[in-house]
Amino acid sequence: MTRTVSVAAIQTAYGSDMAANIAKTEAFVREAAAKGAQVILPSELFQGEYFCVSQEEKWFATAFAWREHPAVLAMQTLARELDVVIPTSIYEKEGPHYFNSLVMIDAGGELMGVYRKSHIPDGPGYQEKYYFRPGDTGFKVWDTRFAKVGVGICWDQWYPEAARAMALQGAELLMYPTAIGSEPHDSELNTAAPWQRIMQGHAVANVMPVIASNRIGTESLISPQNGAGQTFYGHSFIANHRGDKVAEFGAGEEGVLVAQFDLDFLNTHRAAWGFFRDRRPELYTALASPRPAL
């Protein structure tokens, strides 16, 4: 029997109330499941407003151990009820360490493990190095009930190496929960198009679908660089193995995107392209090594 999977991306705005944000996400997960989605992706740190616009120590109190995070407990209950997979982005505390993390919750509610964001940005409006250590888990792929899923978190999406690392581990889908929007230092800068294009490239290079969920709206937290809240540009999308966008939101729409893929076809098609057959890791290693002085 042909293996197919139906995936969904959630796009919405969030406020300062964690319980309300979780409840809002639950409603969209239910909507996606009602449309047949089996693997459903909320956006990055959906429990609250994106707090990394500035450096304030009060936000450390909003981190939890990953097995105890309110968002994880809520999504675990929902995954058990609806029999769906929910990659769940959280602010994680482990002992004295803090991470931007994702917990993979399988259909039936099993907590499959945690991935900690590898690439941590630091710039106007995105001061994440103050809050998060670089991840120590390495890139991960989970063999969920419906597909083998690799997930990178936001800034990870700009790195082709991250996508390839997950593909080499057997990923069949790449997912990217995100919080990205305006650039406080440059009101003319809009990265929505290149943000999509880099991930469409991952789809082409690895011959697999890419699913990206972003938030929308202007949030109330103030960025000292411009004295205004951050505005997130949405444009969540689902791309097929060719990089073609098969579903997409604009800058202000709320809802769920759903698409279905034939995993058996994709596995065969990926082999036929030969990208993994023709790799030359020994050459890459040699080229990356320091050259002797002339």
Side-chain angles (χ1 to χ4, degrees):
M1 188 171 74
T2 300
R3 290 177 63 233
T4 61
V5 64
S6 182
V7 300
I10 296 172
Q11 177 167 294
T12 189
Y14 290 110
S16 59
D17 186 315
M18 180 181 289
N21 292 330
I22 291 173
K24 188 174 190 179
T25 303
E26 287 180 348
F28 282 120
V29 170
R30 291 184 182 280
E31 179 183 341
K35 294 179 177 179
Q38 298 162 305
V39 185
I40 303 169
L41 182 68
S43 61
E44 181 186 20
L45 299 172
F46 65 83
Q47 306 87 48
E49 292 182 299
Y50 179 77
F51 53 85
C52 305
V53 295
S54 61
Q55 298 181 13
E56 297 184 68
E57 63 184 33
K58 67 180 181 179
W59 296 112
F60 291 109
T62 65
F64 294 81
W66 66 267
R67 293 178 182 85
E68 301 166 8
H69 198 290
V72 171
L73 297 177
M75 294 302 116
Q76 181 181 32
T77 298
L78 201 57
R80 186 179 298 124
E81 175 193 342
L82 300 176
D83 210 30
V84 296
V85 178
I86 311 174
T88 301
S89 171
I90 61 165
Y91 190 14
E92 180 198 0
K93 184 179 190 296
E94 184 190 54
H97 300 148
Y98 295 82
F99 299 96
N100 186 337
S101 299
L102 181 133
V103 178
M104 182 60 75
I105 306 176
D106 201 4
E110 177 192 352
L111 302 184
M112 301 185 77
V114 64
Y115 164 67
R116 292 169 177 154
K117 185 173 179 177
S118 299
H119 303 95
I120 310 298
D122 186 58
Y126 303 92
Q127 299 181 44
E128 295 196 13
K129 281 186 168 65
Y130 179 75
Y131 296 102
F132 313 128
R133 289 169 59 91
D136 58 4
T137 60
F139 298 107
K140 303 184 80 168
V141 171
W142 287 277
D143 191 3
T144 74
R145 184 179 304 177
F146 302 114
K148 294 177 182 176
V149 181
V151 183
I153 302 171
C154 200
W155 196 236
D156 288 334
Q157 68 216 352
W158 297 96
Y159 295 84
E161 307 94 320
R164 180 52 56 88
M166 290 185 280
L168 288 170
Q169 292 180 64
E172 297 172 306
L173 304 170
L174 296 175
M175 293 190 142
Y176 294 96
T178 299
I180 189 168
S182 58
E183 304 289 343
H185 68 290
D186 185 353
S187 61
E188 304 278 315
L189 181 59
N190 186 326
T191 62
W195 173 78
Q196 287 190 339
R197 285 197 291 266
I198 186 67
M199 288 181 280
Q200 290 172 267
H202 301 336
V204 175
N206 296 289
V207 196
M208 66 183 62
V210 167
I211 300 92
S213 293
N214 193 17
R215 59 176 69 197
I216 59 170
T218 299
E219 299 186 355
S220 63
L221 300 179
I222 300 302
S223 170
Q225 284 78 20
N226 67 350
Q230 198 85 321
T231 299
F232 295 89
Y233 55 55
H235 288 284
S236 303
F237 70 100
I238 299 173
N240 65 14
H241 64 288
R242 292 166 40 89
D244 302 321
K245 290 181 285 186
V246 297
E248 179 183 13
F249 279 132
E253 301 160 272
E254 289 190 296
V256 297
L257 302 171
V258 178
Q260 186 176 79
F261 298 102
D262 181 335
L263 296 176
D264 287 338
F265 163 77
L266 290 174
N267 285 333
T268 301
H269 197 59
R270 191 156 43 248
W273 267 98
F275 291 155
F276 298 91
R277 178 197 66 211
D278 297 337
R279 291 180 68 249
R280 296 187 60 193
E282 70 289 346
L283 177 59
Y284 312 147
T285 301
L287 291 174
S289 300
R291 298 301 182 105
L294 296 176

